[in-house]
Amino acid sequence: HPETVSRRARLLFQLTMSMALTTAKHVVSISEAARRDLLARFKLPPERVTTTPLAAEARFRPQEPEEIARVRALYALPQEMVLFVGINKPHKNLLRLIEAFGRLLAEGSSASLVLAGPWDERYPEAKAAVAALGAGERVRLLGPVADADLPALYAAAAVFVLPSQYEGFGLPVLEAMACGTAVACSNTSSLPEIAGDAALTFDPFDVDAIAAALRRLLADRDLRAALVQAGFAQAARFSWAKTAAQTLAVYRRVAQSA
């Protein structure tokens, strides 16, 4: 999405990435989607790029009720919460998410939207969209959250949503699943391979589709419960032990060919 950065940033990225890929003996990618993009954009031989997926840390797991209550009180969280975790850069697609959630509020939804994560002041549009919505505390900009509080924050949510236009991997999807939260996410880039069949997916460029996914999950407890169980299984498919073993295999292969 070059439209989201300056011309200077695009040129610097192209130059430095091209230099790195040209000099590297091998390239490790964190998802098959990112690998395909590298092969297409930089015309690399397929045998020079290997995928080694990431994983959620072990601390992301179902939380004790007391810990969820502590974090809920600490951040004054609403009872029925749709949660987003990430920065506010344009590719995260917060403007469409806010618009979609505004439609749910207009329909009488009792849920609240909480946006948690660092804030880049170069991109004030999401704050402006929240203000224009006039929803008061029903859409909250939580800002940065202590790392130790993240598992309980995920666990406190009814739904976790990641509406990004593009993700190299999409680690928050696995983190939310591992904590026992139903996930709705985009159907683009790496997210389908990370989420598998354990999330409700949508077109991130379609506000109606985002609203429909959130509406369905908030209304259907049985669907949420099914996705929670599927999410546990999906998150368990990824582990840092596998990542380490696959990365080590790449290093050994490269060393043997030197």
Side-chain angles (χ1 to χ4, degrees), residues 9-208:
R10 292 197 299 272
L11 291 173
L12 283 173
F13 176 84
Q14 184 72 24
L15 175 63
T16 56
M17 183 64 78
S18 295
M19 291 172 63
L21 294 175
T22 299
T23 57
K25 290 185 178 296
H26 202 88
V27 179
V28 175
S29 169
I30 58 176
S31 68
E32 277 298 316
R35 179 178 181 271
R36 289 193 299 269
D37 288 344
L38 282 170
L39 296 178
R41 287 281 180 177
F42 297 97
K43 311 303 180 188
L44 298 174
E47 63 273 13
R48 281 188 58 210
V49 187
T50 299
T51 298
T52 60
L54 308 182
E57 295 178 36
R59 64 193 180 91
F60 291 102
R61 60 184 183 273
Q63 300 292 294
E64 295 296 332
E66 296 80 9
E67 177 64 6
I68 296 173
R70 181 190 70 80
V71 168
R72 192 181 293 280
L74 178 64
Y75 295 100
L77 299 175
Q79 285 300 312
E80 189 178 21
M81 176 174 66
V82 174
L83 176 68
F84 164 87
V85 173
I87 199 167
N88 62 312
K89 289 184 176 179
H91 72 280
K92 294 295 186 178
N93 206 30
L94 293 185
L95 291 179
R96 289 189 180 91
L97 173 60
I98 293 165
E99 182 180 352
F101 193 76
R103 296 184 183 183
L104 268 61
L105 292 181
E107 297 166 4
S109 173
S110 60
S112 296
L113 174 64
V114 174
L115 310 177
W119 200 266
D120 190 329
E121 295 297 343
R122 292 176 298 173
Y123 309 107
E125 296 83 3
K127 279 185 179 178
V130 170
L133 193 60
E137 287 293 298
R138 299 292 297 281
V139 181
R140 290 191 53 202
L141 306 177
L142 210 57
V145 173
D147 202 46
D149 295 336
L150 267 178
L153 181 66
Y154 282 123
V159 175
F160 173 76
V161 60
L162 191 63
S164 298
Q165 297 171 5
Y166 187 97
E167 290 287 336
F169 186 81
L171 198 51
V173 165
L174 288 187
E175 292 174 348
M177 287 179 175
C179 290
T181 301
V183 173
C185 68
S186 302
N187 61 6
T188 59
S189 60
S190 64
L191 292 174
E193 71 184 270
I194 306 309
D197 295 326
L200 197 60
T201 60
F202 52 77
D203 178 352
F205 299 97
D206 185 341
V207 173
D208 287 337

